[in-house]
Amino acid sequence: MKKAIVLFSGGQDSTTCLFWALKHFDEVIAISFDYGQRHSVELKQAKKITQILEIEHHILSAPALNEIGKTALTDNQEIKNSEKTQLPNTFVPGRNLIFLSLAAGWGYLNDVFNIVTGVCQTDYSGYPDCRYTFIQSAEMTLQLALDQPKIKIHTPLMFLNKAQIWKVSQDLGALDFIIENTHTCYKGERSQKHVWGYGCGTCPACELRKKGFEEAFGYL
Ligand code: ZN
């Protein structure tokens, strides 16, 4: 019996990973994180999606990320690039390392050693913890930290751009589901529906989602 944990935010990429995992593993468990993100709509969608797909879902709490926060995802700030690092202030420092550690800890206690995450180094904003080298290093670190060589981190979207990710969701038969149910918008907006899904249409996350959809399916 092959089991996998999916790091699941309720967004487009992690939902694509959820469908990918359902295809490649016998049993899939979704783990989401409550770190006091500004828009709890994300977690609400995550809950809804796992209920529709009848997937075991756990929400782990990581409030320290909010306490050290000072980012656009945790505080009420305009989204902009940091002058110091040039990274967008949507970057929550340490987040992916903490998420992977908590997921691996859960997996260790429940005999699940495959972890699937939707990180991607292609189109993104230069987040260092979305890069392939970081994932390789995290996998080795977790193997050593838990003395468990079976731990494997899967990143099916790592080298895809947003248009290719839309195509993957189509190949997985999940396109309509993802348009309807996933949440991407940084502003937590879900009252406006577009061909690519719900969102404000203008924040960086909506723009990336929309542009990828247009490239994939030829809307102009
Ligand atoms: Zn938006």
Side-chain angles (χ1 to χ4, degrees):
M1 181 89 158
K2 281 170 70 191
K3 297 184 187 179
I5 293 165
V6 176
L7 299 195
F8 186 56
S9 71
Q12 180 190 351
D13 293 350
S14 66
T15 306
T16 306
C17 284
L18 203 60
F19 278 91
W20 180 88
L22 286 169
K23 187 178 168 188
H24 290 90
F25 294 91
D26 304 309
E27 191 179 330
V28 172
I29 300 106
I31 293 188
S32 305
F33 297 92
D34 183 351
Y35 58 98
Q37 49 271 65
R38 270 168 69 198
H39 301 295
S40 57
V41 59
E42 228 187 28
L43 283 177
K44 212 174 107 192
Q45 287 308 116
K47 181 76 355 220
K48 188 176 158 198
I49 288 167
T50 51
Q51 278 169 354
I52 297 171
L53 298 176
E54 297 181 344
I55 289 172
E56 182 180 335
H57 183 216
H58 301 277
I59 299 178
L60 305 182
S61 177
L65 283 174
N66 188 288
E67 287 161 22
I68 63 169
K70 292 186 172 44
T71 74
L73 292 196
T74 52
D75 295 357
N76 190 12
Q77 290 185 23
E78 280 286 299
I79 296 166
K80 58 174 196 270
N81 279 4
S82 152
E83 282 170 25
K84 208 162 61 181
T85 63
Q86 294 306 310
L87 285 172
N89 58 353
T90 47
F91 175 60
V92 181
R95 182 172 61 168
N96 282 348
L97 185 56
I98 289 168
F99 287 1
L100 286 167
S101 299
L102 293 173
W106 189 95
Y108 179 87
L109 295 170
N110 292 280
D111 293 324
V112 188
F113 303 111
N114 293 292
I115 302 171
V116 183
T117 169
V119 294
C120 162
Q121 73 173 35
T122 314
D123 254 355
Y124 275 49
S125 326
Y127 295 175
D129 57 359
C130 288
R131 292 183 295 207
Y132 183 58
T133 47
F134 162 71
I135 294 295
Q136 283 180 307
S137 154
E139 181 179 270
M140 183 180 282
T141 298
L142 291 169
Q143 287 175 352
L144 292 170
L146 303 177
D147 194 19
Q148 179 46 267
K150 286 187 198 161
I151 291 172
K152 168 103 184 107
I153 303 177
H154 304 264
T155 55
L157 313 182
M158 180 56 81
F159 300 106
L160 305 182
N161 63 30
K162 213 58 170 176
Q164 290 168 318
I165 294 171
W166 276 116
K167 290 280 193 187
V168 168
S169 66
Q170 189 181 40
D171 292 344
L172 290 165
L175 183 60
D176 291 340
F177 185 95
I178 282 173
I179 291 171
E180 184 60 33
N181 293 297
T182 65
H183 184 80
T184 301
C185 179
Y186 281 146
K187 294 184 176 165
E189 169 63 53
R190 282 193 76 73
S191 60
Q192 297 176 58
K193 171 118 194 236
H194 313 265
V195 281
W196 44 268
Y198 296 89
C200 72
T202 54
C203 76
C206 280
E207 276 186 352
L208 196 61
R209 178 170 169 138
K210 175 172 176 262
K211 188 171 155 276
F213 189 90
E214 289 170 349
E215 268 174 39
F217 304 118
Y219 285 86
L220 291 170

